[in-house]
Amino acid sequence: MKITIWSDFVCPFCFIGESHLDKALESFSHAKDVEIEYKSFLLMPDAQYVPGQNYAETFSSMKGVPLEQAEAMLKQVTDMAKNSGVEINYDKAKLTSTYDAHRVFQYAKEQGKGNEFFNRFYAAHFTEGEVLSDTETVVRLAEDVGLDGVQVRKVMESKEHTDQVTNDISEARSVGVQGVPFFVIDNKYAVSGAQPVEVFNQVLDKVWEEEHSKK
């Protein structure tokens, strides 16, 4: 069984939704037969890190909503994350472009480290407050998952893997992705958003049963 996930490192509902998927897989008796592949998606392609601004201020400015409304929205997300067992700390998080980090992610996939890369960058953004557009930061985080820092720096300073990012986003549009996270199971069933663990349990069981009842 293959699960394809379109996601972005700065997407809180991706972080939460994938925690729910992980919990569902813990109780799925065929988890060892599940392959997970991440694909790039740019949730906020125009985001730019503004030193001295906190997350709520940057979000308020980008989205054109009052600061109080932005703060209330972020608190709601933080509470949802806590209930899901993941840590989102908007006092630390830095809103920024993830485009270059996604190019490095494509390199990580080629090295068989794509999934580790994605999970490392979720935590780096939401929990540790790292700036994911900064070259030195991306190199250091990529080295954490065993990637060659020299090669990562080369990717960051070039236009390498641009096509793969573009292709992932184009493919997302072609299969009807309008927001992330977006999960496709065996090219057959789609699950959109941070669905509860029970929804993933049901879909995993249904797809497995359908695929293996044919044999």
Side-chain angles (χ1 to χ4, degrees):
M1 181 187 294
K2 181 172 182 180
I3 303 176
T4 305
I5 308 171
W6 275 271
S7 181
D8 195 358
F9 315 115
V10 296
C11 166
F13 300 109
C14 300
F15 195 26
I16 294 166
E18 284 157 49
S19 169
H20 292 172
L21 173 62
D22 289 343
K23 287 185 175 70
L25 286 170
E26 285 173 9
S27 60
F28 184 56
S29 55
H30 308 287
K32 68 181 188 308
D33 298 310
V34 174
E35 174 194 353
I36 292 177
E37 179 188 10
Y38 288 91
K39 286 185 180 282
S40 292
F41 191 91
L42 299 177
L43 183 67
M44 293 177 279
D46 299 324
Q48 296 294 331
Y49 173 54
V50 182
Q53 270 191 5
N54 65 30
Y55 199 102
E57 289 167 341
T58 306
F59 186 83
S60 168
S61 175
M62 265 194 65
K63 298 296 184 181
V65 299
L67 180 59
E68 295 77 11
Q69 184 180 340
E71 289 172 341
M73 291 167 66
L74 298 180
K75 183 182 185 306
Q76 189 175 17
V77 171
T78 302
D79 291 343
M80 183 179 177
K82 188 181 295 183
N83 292 333
S84 299
V86 296
E87 183 184 352
I88 290 180
N89 186 345
Y90 282 120
D91 290 335
K92 281 187 177 181
K94 311 289 193 302
L95 187 54
T96 187
S97 168
T98 58
Y99 180 70
D100 289 334
H102 273 288
R103 292 192 300 104
V104 177
F105 157 66
Q106 297 291 339
Y107 163 70
K109 276 179 78 170
E110 290 181 353
Q111 304 302 310
K113 298 280 188 179
N115 293 6
E116 294 95 327
F117 185 96
F118 234 98
N119 287 307
R120 180 69 190 94
F121 273 61
Y122 276 140
H125 172 70
F126 285 111
T127 309
E128 300 162 20
E130 300 281 12
V131 181
L132 300 188
S133 56
D134 177 72
T135 296
E136 298 304 321
T137 300
V138 172
V139 169
R140 172 169 47 81
L141 294 172
E143 288 177 335
D144 285 351
V145 298
L147 292 170
D148 182 334
V150 173
Q151 289 302 315
V152 171
R153 187 182 303 280
K154 183 171 172 245
V155 173
M156 284 292 287
E157 294 173 351
S158 71
K159 296 299 179 188
E160 290 180 26
H161 304 289
T162 298
D163 288 347
Q164 289 99 317
V165 175
T166 302
N167 290 343
D168 280 1
I169 294 169
S170 297
E171 187 182 353
R173 291 196 196 100
S174 73
V175 299
V177 178
Q178 295 184 332
V180 287
F182 194 85
F183 307 82
V184 175
I185 297 102
D186 271 359
N187 294 315
K188 193 170 185 180
Y189 287 97
V191 177
S192 180
Q195 297 296 331
V197 176
E198 295 75 24
V199 170
F200 287 109
N201 281 331
Q202 291 166 9
V203 174
L204 290 170
D205 289 339
K206 182 179 177 64
V207 174
W208 184 270
E209 185 179 338
E210 286 185 2
E211 290 298 315
H212 291 79
S213 65
K214 300 172 185 173
K215 297 178 181 178

